[in-house]
Amino acid sequence: MALTTSYSTGAVSASATTIVLAAFTNPSASGRPKTILRFTTGEYCLITSNVGTALQVVRGYLGSMAVAHSALEGVQYGLTSDTEWPPA
């Protein structure tokens, strides 16, 4: 699967562990690589589960820093094996 683009529907605090996107289709399945999300401002998050478009995440993944994000900020998500993710 290629990377998918979406955006956050609301502001995200630096300590939030739930992020709601406008659209999300989970590309991961049991035994497959992990799913990660990257904000356009550079923060990476590990997606641990989802209920619809609400994602449970581990913030500051891949050495990035957990920071606040504004509503409607763009994101990309996909499997760790989808592409060469740029450094945080």
Side-chain angles (χ1 to χ4, degrees):
M1 179 179 161
L3 296 179
T4 303
T5 302
S6 188
Y7 59 90
S8 61
T9 60
V12 178
S13 72
S15 61
T17 58
T18 300
I19 297 171
V20 180
L21 301 182
F24 179 77
T25 302
N26 194 343
S28 188
S30 181
R32 294 197 49 202
K34 297 176 181 176
T35 305
I36 57 177
L37 173 144
R38 181 180 185 273
F39 282 94
T40 56
T41 53
E43 181 186 353
Y44 285 93
C45 301
L46 173 65
I47 300 172
T48 58
S49 66
N50 74 292
V51 175
T53 61
L55 314 178
Q56 293 299 309
V57 299
V58 174
R59 303 287 301 275
Y61 194 63
L62 296 176
S64 65
M65 179 180 276
V67 296
H69 300 280
S70 61
L72 308 178
E73 183 174 337
V75 300
Q76 285 187 311
Y77 65 87
L79 298 175
T80 54
S81 61
D82 283 341
T83 187
E84 183 74 24
W85 291 86

